[in-house]
Amino acid sequence: MQICNIRANFFQKFQWDIYWTLIMIEFRVGGGSMIEKISYFTASYRDGRVYLGGKGRDAGYYAAQLLNEYDKDEFAARLAVFRMENWNTAKQLRAGFLDTATYLKAGDEIKYILTLLPKLRPFSELDIQGELNRIEELFTEQTAERLCEYFRQRALTANMDFGYIFTGHFPKGYDEDFCEETEKLLQTVLETLNFYDRLGDDVADAAKKLRQFVKRTDEAERCDEGHLLPIAIGIFGSAPFDVTTEYVPLKKSGRSKTATVVRRLHFKNYYSFALTDFFEGLQNGHYPRRCQMCGKYFVMTSARQTKYCGGWATELWRGKKITCRNLAAQKKRRERSADDPITVRYNSRCGAIRVEVLRGTITKEFAAAAKVLAKEHKQLAARDPVYAARQYIADMERDKLYADTDARMK
């Protein structure tokens, strides 16, 4: 058993503290990808859609799936257990020494976590095997020995005069190129350890707060961004997300001939991803809701307060599979139009149009054209939550609707 225990007297030296700080600034600010990211954990967003793992879905989809999969097969509890050797390894590396056996056990913990992750989207749709291969290559005895040698060589500079370091004079046995390369390796290891150490807490914290949000959506007068955002901010706060952003071209499907620009986000932890997906969805009128028939969570994409999802119900109807929404209708639990503000506005406007026809203030031809236009607005609002939240009500106002109808008839 090899134990590299070059205690951190050199970390306590003032000169070394300055030298270490300058190196870190150079690696983080300088050109190139000095600090390797968790390579497969990347998502792209545009127009209320999230593109991840080669698939495009409504933004907010993965936040809803977290709620469905959090308690399945004791996933969260099993995920939170395997982190002790991870924590010990990170602590050792930051102190300037390493126990090889502990390092290898940390790799085993991460590999076990990777066997659990296919139970949770988006991980189930990503290259888990590729990440497993990366972990197996990273957590080896050879890597541990390299890190131990790195600490030994760094210790040689502990008592050097500060001026010698910056003039490029190092003690015998110190390999500058080796230390620079291993510095990158050390940062990769630390970021990897941090990602998997946080993962259990990130999943639990995100699921807890998302459930609070779902329970409080009924407090909102209307389920649109303007009414739901204050609730969300009250629950999640305004902490910054640990992500980096770039803009890249992306084809929306395999049949697309041209690409569009999307925001590609690289996440250093799962919590940042879960909240990003949630808020990206919320700003486009998408939010998680719980089906009152099957109990599963789904993504709402309109201001209508739908009670039932469109997925398969957990029970059969006369021996056949049926959706929750259709099963609710069969059981006389059909959703009322009062739950749908889009329909309420449409019915109210059509009723007013009929009254004006009876009073003779508008002609039957004009009324028919106005109803056609109102129905078009209603249909657009039903499929476009952004329009429903920002423009639908204004377009259905009497003066606006009649002016647009008059313009169309001319």
Side-chain angles (χ1 to χ4, degrees):
M1 187 71 63
Q2 179 187 8
I3 297 180
C4 172
N5 194 357
I6 310 299
R7 288 288 179 178
N9 63 321
F10 58 95
F11 282 109
Q12 299 170 5
K13 297 292 184 180
F14 173 74
Q15 294 98 331
W16 175 247
D17 286 341
I18 296 177
Y19 182 56
W20 177 269
T21 300
L22 291 173
I23 288 179
M24 292 303 294
I25 291 174
E26 178 183 352
F27 284 146
R28 291 183 182 274
V29 179
S33 54
M34 291 297 186
I35 300 177
E36 183 177 342
K37 302 175 178 65
I38 306 298
S39 57
Y40 68 85
F41 205 66
T42 298
S44 301
Y45 287 89
R46 179 186 169 100
D47 298 334
R49 300 280 290 174
V50 53
Y51 300 89
L52 191 151
K55 297 180 180 180
R57 303 183 185 277
D58 288 326
Y61 169 83
Y62 292 107
Q65 291 307 311
L66 167 61
L67 297 176
N68 286 327
E69 296 163 354
Y70 176 72
D71 291 324
K72 188 183 297 183
D73 300 326
E74 298 182 342
F75 168 79
R78 294 165 66 188
L79 183 64
V81 169
F82 290 87
R83 60 195 299 180
M84 181 57 68
E85 302 303 336
N86 184 317
W87 183 85
N88 284 335
T89 299
K91 183 178 180 181
Q92 290 177 15
L93 291 173
R94 292 189 178 98
F97 71 100
L98 180 63
D99 175 5
T100 301
T102 303
Y103 183 77
L104 297 178
K105 289 178 182 178
D108 291 338
E109 284 185 345
I110 295 175
K111 285 185 280 188
Y112 177 78
I113 290 174
L114 287 169
T115 67
L116 300 177
L117 290 185
K119 299 179 183 295
L120 175 65
R121 278 170 275 198
F123 296 102
S124 59
E125 301 172 353
L126 302 177
D127 186 11
I128 294 292
Q129 185 58 48
E131 176 67 357
L132 181 61
N133 294 340
R134 187 181 76 88
I135 296 302
E136 288 180 341
E137 294 175 0
L138 190 61
F139 288 86
T140 63
E141 289 188 16
Q142 291 78 12
T143 302
E145 291 172 359
R146 183 183 180 94
L147 292 171
C148 287
E149 178 60 25
Y150 166 78
F151 289 130
R152 290 191 191 96
Q153 293 196 25
R154 285 301 192 194
L156 297 174
T157 66
N159 296 314
M160 285 188 63
D161 182 85
F162 191 56
Y164 276 92
I165 294 177
F166 281 92
T167 56
H169 294 85
F170 294 95
K172 184 178 180 180
Y174 179 86
D175 187 333
E176 185 176 4
D177 291 338
F178 169 84
C179 287
E180 287 184 357
E181 289 299 319
T182 309
E183 176 72 32
K184 304 172 192 177
L185 173 64
L186 176 60
Q187 293 305 311
T188 296
V189 171
L190 286 172
E191 290 223 344
T192 300
L193 291 171
N194 181 64
F195 181 89
Y196 288 102
D197 179 55
R198 288 191 52 172
L199 188 55
D201 291 339
D202 283 349
V203 170
D205 195 18
K208 177 183 177 181
K209 292 178 178 178
L210 286 169
R211 284 177 174 173
Q212 292 177 12
F213 175 83
V214 172
K215 290 179 180 178
R216 292 184 57 187
T217 53
D218 290 336
E219 298 176 10
E221 181 181 345
R222 295 188 68 235
C223 289
D224 56 19
E225 181 184 3
H227 292 83
L228 293 176
L229 183 59
I231 297 175
I233 294 299
I235 294 172
F236 293 100
S238 56
F241 296 162
D242 196 2
V243 301
T244 56
T245 305
E246 61 178 332
Y247 291 88
V248 299
L250 176 73
K251 291 185 177 181
K252 293 186 177 180
S253 69
R255 295 174 296 178
S256 300
K257 295 183 179 180
T258 59
T260 56
V261 176
V262 298
R263 287 188 303 115
R264 177 162 294 171
L265 306 179
H266 302 274
F267 300 94
K268 293 186 179 180
N269 57 68
Y270 176 81
Y271 186 78
S272 296
F273 166 75
L275 264 66
T276 296
D277 190 62
F278 167 73
F279 278 105
E280 286 282 340
L282 188 60
Q283 73 171 352
N284 287 280
H286 307 168
Y287 57 96
R289 194 165 179 84
R290 192 169 193 179
C291 177
Q292 295 185 18
M293 183 62 67
C294 69
K296 293 182 179 179
Y297 295 87
F298 63 101
V299 180
M300 269 303 303
T301 56
S302 75
R304 178 180 181 182
Q305 297 183 23
T306 304
K307 297 179 181 179
Y308 313 110
C309 71
W312 295 113
T314 54
E315 59 181 284
L316 301 178
W317 178 257
R318 297 179 179 176
K320 296 182 179 181
K321 294 177 67 174
I322 190 173
T323 66
C324 290
R325 189 169 292 121
N326 290 336
L327 182 60
Q330 294 294 340
K331 291 186 174 185
K332 309 300 181 184
R333 291 165 58 180
R334 188 185 299 274
E335 294 162 329
R336 301 169 301 161
S337 62
D339 294 325
D340 183 358
I342 295 173
T343 301
V344 169
R345 177 70 59 171
Y346 170 76
N347 290 341
S348 175
R349 178 52 55 208
C350 288
I353 291 173
R354 287 192 294 271
V355 170
E356 291 204 51
V357 170
L358 293 175
R359 290 178 177 175
T361 55
I362 59 175
T363 65
K364 291 182 178 181
E365 293 77 14
F366 185 88
K371 287 181 180 180
V372 169
L373 183 57
K375 188 173 184 178
E376 291 177 5
H377 292 332
K378 173 178 177 289
Q379 292 171 339
L380 177 58
R383 65 176 183 268
D384 186 346
V386 176
Y387 171 77
R390 299 177 181 177
Q391 187 61 34
Y392 175 66
I393 293 178
D395 285 347
M396 293 294 280
E397 293 291 338
R398 179 185 183 278
D399 292 344
K400 180 70 163 61
L401 182 67
Y402 284 8
D404 292 343
T405 300
D406 187 57
R408 174 178 289 190
M409 293 181 70
K410 290 179 179 179

